[in-house]
Amino acid sequence: MKKFCFFLLICFSLNCYLAKAQQIDRTSVKDSLTNYSAYKRKLTFAGVLQTRYLLSLNKDVDISGKNFDGTLSKGISNTFMIRRARVMVKGDINDHFSANILANLADFSSDPTNKVLENAYIRYSLNKYFHVQAGQFRPFFGIEDAISVDIIRTLDFSNQYYAFGKNGWQSFQTGLSVFGNIIPDGKLRYFAGVYNGNNKNKPSDDNNTKNYYGRLEADLLKNVTVGVNAGSGSMAASGVGKAYGADASAKIPLSKKFDLLLMTEFKTGANFLAYNADKQPVRPDLSEYQMRGFYFFPTLRYNHESKRLRAIEFSCRYEYFDENYKVQSNPRQTFIPNVSLIFADDFYAAIQCGVAIDRFKNQIPLTTAYNNSLGYVQLQIRF
């Protein structure tokens, strides 16, 4: 905690220096203000609704990917479902302070314990070099955290995103973070934070050790961004573990109508859940319980730009993920070919269809570690 406070002090001092060096254009209206309490105050609402139809394409495998004995039971092989029904409220108190609340109402369809509330934070923005937020939010620990939570370009986020989220490395966590530009043109950015690391909607931390993370992000070329991440943390009585990652994204114009979008990421980190679940009398050290994953996500976008159909995207994400590659390795490979018809700019209305194909090195009957293919059609609306 002392190291983080020291880092925060350095960022604030650097920010003050840059703010003095930078010439700021002030309008006559702003210069005449004597009370900034309600300057630029506003309240905005937004959200996303995502519905889908799922169909298992394998015999004796249900929609969750779990194998079942067809002679003893009958699994659910197809269903309609609401995946996300998010509502976001953002309140700008003035030009420096704001609050953000995001809730997923779809979680009420199952046990809502420790669900529903996702974002709940207060942000202070001094200028483009220094922002600080406190509450529940997604730590910037990978490229998928930098993407808006209401833009899903395929069936879902990556397998590694959800596994790292369950282990407290990313997804929604409670704590404090700072971020901003390092240089004036914004081509080099920093992110850092400290948080509990025991996931969302918990009344308090589950130990006295906090999680720390840092990320540097740079625009190396036009439309090419790379990032590196590092983190340290724990969960319950697991001890302290580490996590690292690197990612890159690019947008390559191929012609007036076609763009190629590329995204790739690699991450490795401690699997606290596997370590804590191992009840053998003598178990290996935490450093032996490690996750490791990589994915490549190319998307060919055709900018149709008609009055109704704005674009068509063709993609196929490939992912390799091993949830415990040192102690009990069983790599999972996932292929998701997908077609998206976009009827409103910026994914405000889209229909998507595709197949999620999972292949495991070792199939385990009567579990989700079993080869399966899941067909889907989903409609998502942002508002």
Side-chain angles (χ1 to χ4, degrees), residues 6 43 50 60 67 77 96-97 127 137 144 222-223 242 255 268 289 320 341 344 381:
F6 180 67
L43 185 66
Q50 186 184 66
D60 297 340
N67 170 243
S77 62
H96 282 181
F97 288 96
N127 52 39
F137 52 85
E144 291 177 288
K222 184 179 180 180
N223 296 325
K242 308 292 183 182
S255 67
T268 183
Y289 295 81
Y320 175 96
L341 303 178
I381 301 293

Side-chain angles (χ1 to χ4, degrees), residues 15 22 125-131 179-186 190:
N15 168 73
Q22 181 186 33
S125 299
L126 182 60
N127 52 39
K128 61 185 179 180
Y129 301 104
F130 184 79
H131 307 266
F179 59 95
N181 295 345
I182 295 178
I183 56 179
D185 60 8
Y190 73 92

Side-chain angles (χ1 to χ4, degrees), residues 69 80 98 101 127 187 378:
D69 187 344
F80 290 99
S98 64
I101 296 176
N127 52 39
K187 292 185 177 181
Q378 65 185 17

Side-chain angles (χ1 to χ4, degrees), residues 46-197:
V48 61
L49 178 60
Q50 186 184 66
T51 66
R52 60 177 55 159
Y53 173 75
L54 303 175
L55 173 65
S56 175
L57 303 179
N58 298 94
K59 183 181 178 181
D60 297 340
V61 177
D62 66 17
I63 56 171
S64 69
K66 184 177 181 180
N67 170 243
F68 62 90
D69 187 344
T71 63
L72 300 176
S73 61
K74 189 173 182 179
I76 303 302
S77 62
N78 70 95
T79 187
F80 290 99
M81 69 176 296
I82 299 175
R83 179 67 176 90
R84 293 174 175 88
R86 283 175 164 148
V87 177
M88 182 183 73
V89 180
K90 181 183 179 184
D92 292 314
I93 309 307
N94 55 31
D95 57 334
H96 282 181
F97 288 96
S98 64
N100 186 298
I101 296 176
L102 176 67
N104 186 6
L105 304 183
D107 286 331
F108 282 113
S109 62
S110 59
D111 181 5
T113 305
N114 296 328
K115 299 180 182 178
V116 185
L117 185 63
E118 296 181 329
N119 278 338
Y121 62 83
I122 296 171
R123 177 179 294 177
Y124 173 75
S125 299
L126 182 60
N127 52 39
K128 61 185 179 180
Y129 301 104
F130 184 79
H131 307 266
V132 58
Q133 62 187 26
Q136 184 167 283
F137 52 85
R138 294 197 300 169
F140 296 97
F141 197 76
I143 195 171
E144 291 177 288
D145 292 311
I147 299 174
S148 175
V149 295
D150 58 351
I151 296 181
I152 311 297
R153 300 196 96 99
T154 183
L155 176 64
D156 239 319
F157 291 107
S158 67
N159 298 324
Q160 67 170 261
Y161 174 83
Y162 290 108
F164 274 73
K166 290 177 182 177
N167 281 276
W169 293 116
Q170 54 187 135
S171 192
F172 299 98
Q173 308 291 336
T174 303
L176 178 76
S177 72
V178 294
F179 59 95
N181 295 345
I182 295 178
I183 56 179
D185 60 8
K187 292 185 177 181
L188 183 61
R189 301 171 290 278
Y190 73 92
F191 306 85
V194 55
Y195 56 94
N196 290 337

Side-chain angles (χ1 to χ4, degrees), residues 252-271:
I252 304 172
L254 300 178
S255 67
K256 184 179 179 180
K257 290 287 188 179
F258 284 94
D259 294 319
L260 180 61
L261 312 177
L262 301 174
M263 184 163 50
T264 184
E265 182 173 14
F266 167 82
K267 280 205 296 287
T268 183
N271 188 330

